[in-house]
Amino acid sequence: MTEPTAGVWVPTRALGRTVLLTGLLLLLGVALGRVDLVLLAAPFAIGAAINLHRRPKAVPEVTITADEEHIVEGGEVEAGITVANPDVIGYDLVVVRTRTSPWLRLRHADRPFAITVPSDGWAAIDLPGEALRWGRQDVGPAAARAAACGGLLACRPIVTPARGVRVYPVTEPFNATEAMPAAAGLVGAHRSRRPGEGGELAGVRQFAPGDRLRRIDWRVSLRTRDLHVAYTLSDRDAEVLLLLDVLGEVGLAGGVRGSSSVLDTTVRAAAAIAEHYLHRGDRVSLLEYGASGRRLRAASGRRQYLTVLEWLLDVRADPVEESFVVPHHISSSALVVVLTPLVDPRAADMLAQLTQSGRYTVAVDTLPTDAAPPVRNQWTPAASRLWRIERENVLGRLREHGVPVVTWAGAGSLDLVLRDVARMASAPRGR
């Protein structure tokens, strides 16, 4: 909102032409002794004097409004501009123009609006539209210029800052039915390898002090002549770490209905995986593999899901000369889901380092299938094919070293690899 200032009202070209024409007619009338020329100049002079008798002192107040509700990609956006006149003199005309983010398709936002604002009143401009891509998008800045006194005075452009709109990534359908490789919390829905009060039968053993009577297995007890009880595996929650590779951006972002870049796939997949595991009661944390190394601590519940969505809005390509992940910063019982396009060689080294340190690691390939560098010369297609072949070799070497790599494909993307990781985690380890 802009403070009223009297000094920002300046003469327009219409006032300059009026003064010039009036003065010219008066000079010619006096010089030539013609009264008709003086009478012809009188209406211009009288009209200007009447219009300038009451001059506005306040400038228009421009406010940008935007929908604060939960907006996802492809959802509707309700934005608008309100122009208020705090003066007792009405504005003859107010011209308003605004800029918007290219990922907000607002109706008629690319053209100026001409409105009239009465004294001590206001006028509103509605800008309905659609959000095309996730992120923090801006409506504005907006500029307004008002004309008063019959168009003889105009204020300097009044600019109001942009209003941010949070557009959350669309959650792709995702479901993982396989068991977690490690469940180390206190309570939860995953079967662990620790005995406890759960629903999964682990075996039968002799009765011991503290065992509940309802756990007695009478069939085995009658056969062995000793009391035996059935013991179960405890159900515990698990921690899922989503590691986002942001060393670079590949592909073209086309919005919710267009092509997807690496960051688009990474952010949408991270939101879907986090929503799935948080809905099951697990703890989810996030970490960026880049220069800043942003991190979100592990937590559970709906509040953590909303925090995850807010955190994902600030994901940007973050290249750096040297980047690494220290394994001891990651819980040894956490399932590490690495979302990476495997374009930078350091990403493959990081995956191998995590696997060698004993972390349960799953790599999700986020590279678009149609990603290709721009054609610069006749050698570009051949170089792209060679790069694809080298990348396939890297994927093969990662799988040989025990790093499961799967391409993100929505629902069921991780089922097979999670099953393999869970089997590897439950297998006896050699000393």
Side-chain angles (χ1 to χ4, degrees):
M1 191 171 293
T2 309
E3 294 293 335
T5 306
V8 297
W9 289 92
V10 295
T12 62
R13 294 182 179 180
L15 179 58
R17 290 191 295 266
T18 300
V19 174
L20 178 62
L21 183 58
T22 302
L24 183 60
L25 290 175
L26 289 176
L27 289 176
L28 290 176
V30 173
L32 300 177
R34 296 183 57 178
V35 181
D36 56 338
L37 295 178
V38 176
L39 295 177
L40 186 61
F44 296 99
I46 295 174
I50 294 175
N51 286 321
L52 294 175
H53 175 66
R54 299 183 63 193
R55 301 176 57 182
K57 298 181 179 180
V59 295
E61 299 174 350
V62 183
T63 306
I64 297 177
T65 58
D67 198 349
E68 294 291 340
E69 296 182 359
H70 188 87
I71 303 175
V72 298
E73 295 176 294
E76 295 182 356
V77 179
E78 295 294 338
I81 302 175
T82 303
V83 181
N85 179 9
D87 209 316
V88 295
I89 299 177
Y91 300 142
D92 299 326
L93 183 68
V94 179
V95 179
V96 184
R97 186 150 198 174
T98 183
R99 297 177 59 187
T100 60
S101 169
W103 299 115
L104 293 180
R105 184 181 295 169
L106 302 183
R107 193 177 306 164
H108 306 315
D110 58 341
R111 64 188 66 180
F113 294 88
I115 58 176
T116 57
V117 184
S119 59
D120 196 19
W122 58 274
I125 301 173
D126 294 329
L127 297 174
E130 180 185 16
L132 301 180
R133 190 171 184 256
W134 59 271
R136 302 185 186 275
Q137 314 298 345
D138 289 334
V139 179
R145 191 175 187 187
C149 300
L152 300 180
L153 294 179
C155 70
R156 300 186 185 276
I158 307 300
V159 180
T160 187
R163 181 71 177 270
V165 176
R166 294 172 296 181
V167 181
Y168 297 107
V170 61
T171 304
E172 299 184 10
F174 170 72
N175 185 30
T177 58
E178 292 298 330
M180 296 291 290
L186 298 178
V187 294
H190 298 289
R191 184 189 66 188
S192 71
R193 288 175 289 172
R194 300 180 182 180
E197 295 295 329
E200 186 72 20
L201 181 63
V204 179
R205 59 173 173 80
Q206 286 190 344
F207 181 86
D211 288 336
R212 297 186 178 184
L213 297 179
R214 63 185 180 89
R215 293 287 186 180
I216 296 177
D217 190 324
W218 293 106
R219 182 176 301 176
V220 177
S221 299
L222 290 174
R223 186 174 65 250
T224 60
R225 301 292 182 176
D226 290 324
L227 283 180
H228 283 73
V229 293
Y231 69 97
T232 57
L233 298 176
S234 61
D235 294 333
R236 298 173 180 263
D237 66 345
E239 179 181 348
V240 180
L241 170 63
L242 303 180
L243 182 55
L244 279 62
D245 180 1
V246 293
L247 293 180
E249 171 71 307
V250 180
L252 297 176
V256 67
R257 297 184 183 87
S259 59
S260 298
S261 65
V262 165
L263 288 185
D264 289 337
T265 304
T266 299
V267 169
R268 292 164 185 165
I273 297 173
E275 181 186 23
H276 169 74
Y277 285 111
L278 288 173
H279 182 70
R280 299 186 63 177
D282 296 322
R283 290 169 287 118
V284 175
S285 60
L286 290 93
L287 176 64
E288 278 188 354
Y289 183 67
S292 62
R294 290 194 310 135
R295 181 162 191 163
L296 179 65
R297 64 178 182 84
S300 59
R302 177 168 177 78
R303 177 177 295 182
Q304 177 70 358
Y305 175 62
L306 297 178
T307 306
V308 166
L309 292 181
E310 289 286 340
W311 192 90
L312 290 174
L313 295 181
D314 297 319
V315 172
R316 299 290 185 274
D318 196 12
V320 66
E321 293 292 334
E322 296 181 1
S323 183
F324 58 93
V325 173
V326 181
H328 68 264
H329 287 173
I330 300 175
S331 173
S332 59
S333 61
L335 171 64
V336 184
V337 180
V338 183
L339 302 167
T340 173
L342 289 171
V343 173
D344 196 303
R346 291 171 294 183
D349 296 338
M350 176 263 295
L351 285 170
Q353 184 182 13
L354 287 174
T355 304
Q356 292 173 1
S357 64
R359 269 63 181 181
Y360 306 106
T361 307
V362 175
V364 178
D365 187 3
T366 58
L367 184 68
T369 55
D370 56 349
V375 178
R376 298 180 179 178
N377 51 47
Q378 67 274 18
W379 303 109
T380 300
S384 300
R385 287 195 296 269
L386 290 176
W387 175 80
R388 288 278 183 181
I389 295 174
E390 182 180 359
R391 185 173 180 274
E392 290 297 329
N393 293 334
V394 172
L395 294 176
R397 290 196 297 268
L398 286 174
R399 293 188 177 99
E400 290 178 358
H401 286 80
V403 181
V405 182
V406 61
T407 302
W408 175 255
S413 298
L414 307 184
D415 267 350
L416 294 179
V417 293
L418 285 180
R419 182 186 60 188
D420 296 338
V421 172
R423 288 177 178 176
M424 295 174 59
S426 59
R429 298 184 180 181
R431 297 182 179 178

